[in-house]
Amino acid sequence: MKKLDLFVLRSFLGPLILTFFIVLIILILQFLWMYVDELVGKGLDVKTLAELIYNFGLTFVPMALPLAILLASLMTFGNMGEFSELTALKASGIPLQRIMKPLIFVLAFLSIISFFFSNNVLPYATENAKTLLLDIRKKKPDINIQEGSFYNGVPDYSIKVTRKDPETNKMEDLIIYDHSQKRGNVSVTTADSGFMTLTKDESGLIMTLYNGSTFVELEEKSSGQNNRTFPSRKDNFKVQTVIIPLTGFDLERTENGFLKTRAETQNISQLTYYIDSLNKEYTEKIENQLTEFNLSKIFFEKNTLRPPDYGVSNTSRLDVFNPSALIDSIDLFERRVVLAKAIENLKEASGYLTLKTESLYWDIKNIKRYEVEWNKKLTMSFACLVFFFIGAPLGAIIRKGGLGTPAVISIFFFVIYYVISISAQKLVEENMVSTFAGMWAASYILLPIGIFLTYKATTDSVILNIDTYVVFLKRIKAYLYRNFMNARNEESVTD
């Protein structure tokens, strides 16, 4: 049996490693495709891009591993079925459960590793990845002045170049507006030609201009509107050097811990602490708001008409409060005042409840976000076993190896799992279902399917053989045809 276990493990581990890296690369490429607009043109070096891809690659591991297990188990048992190896093992008296046994232990171990990875490595990688992505988003694109249009990427300056030589980097017919004084277009420089370079530390832009002039509108000292003189100064030059300081073009790294309070950057113990703290704050908030509502919106101590004495003594206000009798006891003017005040108080109380309900809604949503992440660390690990119990028996039934049919089936089941998980997560965050029921929905829906497929594969079922369904449809057709002919014969006899 040890040779059988080694044979099954060797047949499984190779496809598992291969499919894991294939799925991981696909997820990384999907990430790059989504954020390509925010990465291109920022002048990022190879080290920064490698760090970004590495950290985001780590965040994709918990998602890539279950899909890789599903695909690898389909390929392994599909190959064994296609080359009649499963048939030979079953003919020797070895059931399918015994063939799957070594892989069950291996995948249970991988599930535990996946949990520890999600609990310890994933929060750290997520924080680093998202922090770096935020820093990249803040970084301004590299200076790229195009011909014929104003470039406003340099702070406090607007630059237009009519023609630009890509080989010599010579610019012709330049117009430069200086907005550093925050007074509008009061300073403009024109030049026949010029060159643009960066300082050694890339902290400034050096523009060398030739044969031009600078026109500056001076600030008036007189405050009278009718006696404005519009003072100005014009300076001509043959060569002029302009140094423009650059800010925001370098990648400024944020210190770690910037996103440490987010749910996705915490482990199980931290999430548990936050969930308990937020639930306690939520309960206290409800009690305080209820007390405030009772004191300020229901029982008014001032500017309120008190009910008359109806002969009832030593009773609470609620016992003696009779709205109809109270309204009938006052005159018409006071009745109008009371009704107007009641309507005003009702509107105020309604607005108060709406505002507080909205605040409590976002508090619940925040609590659910932490509960979702807490359960997600367990569900993604458990998904490794769920997908194995789907892939292994399904591969034994279809008996097709390679990447073709197994890849299609794997994507089909993974899409089902993903759609159920995302939909249930939305319901949990909206507080429409409990956290446990929503986050584990995909697992307890697909796990019975895996158990059913395992049973069918053990009994050599042909549920995926198209000939079986063709024969079944032919039997239904024959049955319907016989009933139709019998009914027609009965009608002819009756006639």
Side-chain angles (χ1 to χ4, degrees):
M1 289 300 179
K2 292 184 178 179
K3 292 184 178 180
L4 173 62
D5 296 340
L6 291 175
F7 169 73
V8 175
L9 288 174
R10 284 197 301 264
S11 302
F12 178 76
L13 292 179
L16 176 62
I17 296 173
L18 174 65
T19 54
F20 174 75
F21 283 104
I22 290 176
V23 173
L24 190 61
I25 291 173
I26 292 175
L27 293 175
I28 292 174
L29 292 177
Q30 181 190 17
F31 157 75
L32 293 176
W33 180 260
M34 291 176 58
Y35 294 97
V36 63
D37 294 337
E38 300 183 16
L39 302 177
V40 173
K42 296 294 184 73
L44 302 175
D45 55 6
V46 177
K47 181 181 178 181
T48 303
L49 285 175
E51 182 182 355
L52 182 68
I53 294 174
Y54 172 75
N55 286 317
F56 268 102
L58 291 177
T59 63
F60 297 142
V61 168
M63 183 185 297
L65 186 58
L67 182 56
I69 290 173
L70 175 61
L71 185 54
S73 57
L74 272 166
M75 292 174 59
T76 301
F77 285 87
N79 285 327
M80 294 174 65
E82 187 176 4
F83 294 103
S84 302
E85 293 170 345
L86 281 178
T87 304
L89 292 173
K90 290 181 179 179
S92 302
I94 303 175
L96 180 63
Q97 290 86 340
R98 178 60 188 84
I99 301 172
M100 296 169 55
K101 184 178 179 180
L103 297 182
I104 294 175
F105 286 107
V106 171
L107 291 176
F109 179 69
L110 282 178
S111 298
I112 296 174
I113 293 178
S114 176
F115 167 73
F116 281 102
F117 183 91
S118 299
N119 190 47
N120 298 296
V121 179
L122 184 60
Y124 178 78
T126 303
E127 182 181 0
N128 289 341
K130 293 194 173 182
T131 302
L132 181 56
L133 184 60
L134 288 175
D135 294 338
I136 292 174
R137 286 174 173 173
K138 294 178 183 177
K139 184 181 183 299
K140 295 183 179 180
D142 284 349
I143 298 176
N144 185 17
I145 301 178
Q146 302 294 330
E147 296 181 353
S149 60
F150 280 96
Y151 177 77
N152 299 315
V154 179
D156 297 329
Y157 287 88
S158 183
I159 304 172
K160 181 181 179 181
V161 177
T162 305
R163 289 179 297 277
K164 184 178 179 181
D165 191 343
E167 296 182 358
T168 62
N169 202 27
K170 181 181 179 181
M171 299 175 292
E172 299 180 359
D173 295 336
L174 290 90
I175 302 176
I176 303 173
Y177 284 95
D178 184 358
H179 300 147
S180 58
Q181 298 182 15
K182 310 298 182 184
R183 294 195 299 120
N185 297 326
V186 297
S187 177
V188 58
T189 300
T190 60
D192 293 342
S193 59
F195 294 91
M196 181 180 66
T197 58
L198 294 175
T199 58
K200 292 182 179 181
D201 57 356
E202 297 185 356
S203 62
L205 178 66
I206 302 176
M207 299 192 68
T208 305
L209 308 177
Y210 300 96
N211 301 324
S213 58
T214 300
F215 179 83
V216 180
E217 289 185 7
L218 302 178
E219 190 172 359
E220 292 183 275
K221 295 183 179 180
S222 176
S223 59
Q225 295 294 328
N226 297 327
N227 300 321
R228 299 188 64 185
T229 58
F230 300 99
S232 61
R233 186 183 73 241
K234 183 178 180 181
D235 299 324
N236 298 321
F237 60 86
K238 292 185 177 181
V239 180
Q240 179 174 313
T241 301
V242 179
I243 300 178
I244 302 174
L246 299 178
T247 57
F249 288 87
D250 294 332
L251 181 63
E252 299 179 359
R253 301 296 299 269
T254 305
E255 296 182 0
N256 291 335
F258 177 69
L259 302 175
K260 64 179 181 180
T261 58
R262 286 196 176 185
E264 59 269 19
T265 62
Q266 298 180 3
N267 55 31
I268 287 286
S269 60
Q270 292 171 333
L271 290 171
T272 302
Y273 172 78
Y274 269 86
I275 291 171
D276 293 340
S277 301
L278 291 174
N279 279 320
K280 184 178 179 180
E281 292 178 3
Y282 178 75
T283 303
E284 294 176 353
K285 188 174 183 179
I286 290 180
E287 294 177 354
N288 294 333
Q289 290 180 2
L290 182 60
T291 303
E292 181 183 356
F293 181 76
N294 289 335
L295 295 177
S296 62
K297 306 302 178 184
I298 295 181
F299 302 113
F300 297 92
E301 297 296 336
K302 297 180 179 180
N303 300 325
T304 303
L305 293 175
R306 295 182 177 275
D309 186 6
Y310 295 106
V312 182
S313 60
N314 298 326
T315 56
S316 64
R317 187 185 305 176
L318 292 177
D319 294 332
V320 300
F321 182 69
N322 188 339
S324 178
L326 179 61
I327 292 296
D328 294 338
S329 65
I330 58 179
D331 56 29
L332 181 61
F333 176 77
E334 291 180 336
R335 188 180 304 176
R336 291 178 179 177
V337 173
V338 168
L339 291 178
K341 185 64 177 179
I343 294 175
E344 180 183 350
N345 293 337
L346 181 61
K347 291 181 179 180
E348 184 179 353
S350 177
Y352 176 89
L353 290 176
T354 301
L355 179 63
K356 297 303 180 181
T357 301
E358 186 73 15
S359 175
L360 293 176
Y361 167 78
W362 289 109
D363 290 340
I364 294 176
K365 201 175 181 69
N366 190 34
I367 295 173
K368 291 298 181 180
R369 190 178 297 112
Y370 285 88
E371 292 179 350
V372 164
E373 291 297 328
W374 193 98
N375 284 270
K376 191 181 292 185
K377 296 183 185 301
L378 299 175
T379 55
M380 294 305 296
S381 302
F382 187 72
C384 298
L385 291 174
V386 173
F387 281 141
F388 173 73
F389 283 108
I390 292 176
L394 201 56
I397 293 173
I398 63 175
R399 299 179 181 181
K400 292 290 185 181
L403 280 172
T405 304
V408 175
I409 298 175
S410 299
I411 293 174
F412 173 75
F413 277 100
F414 188 79
V415 167
I416 293 177
Y417 180 89
Y418 187 77
V419 169
I420 295 175
S421 299
I422 294 299
S423 302
Q425 180 177 335
K426 295 295 183 183
L427 295 177
V428 170
E429 292 178 350
E430 295 296 330
N431 200 28
M432 300 179 67
V433 297
S434 65
T435 305
F436 179 83
M439 295 307 299
W440 290 87
S443 297
Y444 60 67
I445 289 175
L446 292 181
L447 184 59
I449 298 177
I451 297 173
F452 173 76
L453 291 174
T454 303
Y455 168 75
K456 287 297 183 180
T458 304
T459 57
D460 293 328
S461 174
V462 288
I463 58 174
L464 293 182
N465 190 346
I466 191 171
D467 294 334
T468 303
Y469 298 100
V470 172
V471 173
F472 177 73
L473 293 175
K474 287 183 178 180
R475 289 180 180 177
I476 294 178
K477 181 180 179 181
Y479 174 77
L480 295 176
Y481 179 75
R482 286 197 304 269
N483 289 340
F484 173 76
M485 294 303 297
N486 291 335
R488 188 173 181 180
N489 292 334
E490 291 177 359
E491 290 179 358
S492 61
V493 171
T494 304
D495 293 340

